[in-house]
């Protein structure tokens, strides 16, 4: 992760130096947006996207002619639901769950995503610039919290969950996933940017989940279905 930050910083420094020399166009600024599995132009859907899947971050852009490089740093929240089975000697120590108990667990995670997009200006006028872009992404899970259902099943019977405390479990997932983003962007008046990218998940978000403290207590059945395939809609503004 440290190497990725250094690469991002180096790209921004190169762009800044190029801008000062007048050979390139360099821009940097904030952006906000949301994630969604399905694009919609309805106001209610967009409002729900911002409310439930809010994204905030920074972007930089170095443009040489019609070609540009755009690194980004985005912060957002994701939720994944797992059907888990309590296993091992630690099962009785977590909410008094017996070994073999089946329960649904929601995993809320705060993520840091770093796309590096290579793009081209398809149409470039003073009023509007239409862009196409593609590039790799690295997604880091920086904090996670588990929330368990109030009931669990065992041998075909349903039981109420006996909690040992009122707090849900915070833990380090130590997870990183890789993806590929592709999409379109529009700049208005060379200042306001709109990007719609689709993230193709290349690896599962929680590959190392069984290696955490929760992995000693639960058997996770659908880790192989946690690839991040989702649209990312963001609006930004260039500071310069």
């Amino acid at each position: 992760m440290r190497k990725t930050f250094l690469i991002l910083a180096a790209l921004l420094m190169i762009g800044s130096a190029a801008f000062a020399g007048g050979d390139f166009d360099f821009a940097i600024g904030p952006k906000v947006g949301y994630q969604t599995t399905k694009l919609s132009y309805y106001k209610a859907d967009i409002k729900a996207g911002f409310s439930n899947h809010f994204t905030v971050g920074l972007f930089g852009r170095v443009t040489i002619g019609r070609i540009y490089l755009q690194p980004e740093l985005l912060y957002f929240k994701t939720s994944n639901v797992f059907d888990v089975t309590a296993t091992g000697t630690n099962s009785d120590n977590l909410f008094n769950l017996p070994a073999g108990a089946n329960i649904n667990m929601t995993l809320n995670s705060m993520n840091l995503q770093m796309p590096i997009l290579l793009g081209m200006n398809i149409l470039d006028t003073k009023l509007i610039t239409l862009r196409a872009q593609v590039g790799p992404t690295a997604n880091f899970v920086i904090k996670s919290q588990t929330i368990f259902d109030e009931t669990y099943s065992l041998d075909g019977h349903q039981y109420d969950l006996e909690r040992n405390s009122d707090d849900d479990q915070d833990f380090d997932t130590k997870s990183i996933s890789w993806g590929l983003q592709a999409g379109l962007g529009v700049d208005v008046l060379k200042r306001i940017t709109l990007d719609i990218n689709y993230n193709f998940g290349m690896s599962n978000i929680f590959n190392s989940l069984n290696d955490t403290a929760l992995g000693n207590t639960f058997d996770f059945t659908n880790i192989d279905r946690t690839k991040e395939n989702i649209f990312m809609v963001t609006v930004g503004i260039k500071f310069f």
Side-chain angles (χ1 to χ4, degrees):
M1 183 173 180
R2 183 180 177 183
K3 291 182 179 179
T4 309
F5 274 111
L6 291 176
I7 292 173
L8 181 62
L11 288 171
L12 294 179
M13 289 176 63
I14 292 171
S16 181
F19 176 77
D23 295 327
F24 303 101
D25 180 53
F26 174 70
I28 189 172
K31 60 167 42 187
V32 297
Y34 65 95
Q35 303 171 67
T36 179
T37 57
K38 185 178 180 180
L39 291 177
S40 172
Y41 56 83
Y42 290 110
K43 182 179 179 180
D45 294 335
I46 295 174
K47 184 177 179 181
F50 272 101
S51 177
N52 300 323
H53 304 285
F54 182 72
T55 301
V56 63
L58 295 170
F59 76 98
R61 188 188 300 166
V62 181
T63 305
I64 309 173
R66 295 174 59 192
I67 306 299
Y68 65 88
L69 186 67
Q70 181 168 301
E72 301 179 356
L73 187 62
L74 304 173
Y75 181 77
F76 57 91
K77 176 183 175 181
T78 57
S79 295
N80 294 83
V81 179
F82 294 92
D83 178 15
V84 299
T85 302
T87 61
T89 57
N90 292 333
S91 301
D92 292 331
N93 298 324
L94 184 64
F95 300 150
N96 292 324
L97 279 173
N102 297 104
I103 191 170
N104 285 331
M105 183 192 77
T106 300
L107 181 60
N108 293 324
S109 299
M110 306 312 299
N111 302 266
L112 199 61
Q113 187 181 80
M114 304 182 69
I116 299 179
L117 303 172
L118 180 64
M120 175 182 289
N121 294 335
I122 302 172
L123 175 67
D124 193 1
T125 69
K126 291 183 179 181
L127 177 63
I128 190 171
T129 302
L130 177 63
R131 303 176 279 105
Q133 56 201 15
V134 64
T137 65
N139 190 86
F140 303 89
V141 178
I142 56 178
K143 184 180 179 181
S144 295
Q145 181 188 47
T146 59
I147 300 174
F148 291 86
D149 278 2
E150 297 295 330
T151 61
Y152 68 90
S153 61
L154 181 64
D155 298 329
H157 299 283
Q158 206 75 13
Y159 301 91
D160 292 331
L161 185 67
E162 298 179 19
R163 294 178 179 267
N164 292 328
S165 69
D166 293 331
D167 297 324
D168 289 298
Q169 302 285 306
D170 289 323
F171 70 101
D172 181 11
T173 59
K174 301 178 181 178
S175 295
I176 177 174
S177 60
W178 299 94
L180 180 69
Q181 279 194 14
L184 297 174
V186 176
D187 295 345
V188 179
L189 298 175
K190 305 291 185 180
R191 181 69 62 177
I192 300 172
T193 71
L194 169 65
D195 290 275
I196 302 178
N197 294 319
Y198 188 77
N199 188 89
F200 300 89
M202 307 300 289
S203 61
N204 296 306
I205 299 178
F206 299 108
N207 276 330
S208 61
L209 197 54
N210 280 324
D211 298 328
T212 66
L214 284 178
N216 297 325
T217 304
F218 296 105
D219 176 28
F220 292 85
T221 59
N222 58 337
I223 292 180
D224 59 342
R225 297 194 296 275
T226 61
K227 292 182 179 180
E228 191 76 358
N229 297 315
I230 200 166
F231 286 100
M232 185 84 74
V233 182
T234 55
V235 177
I237 184 169
K238 298 179 183 179
F239 279 157
F240 56 84

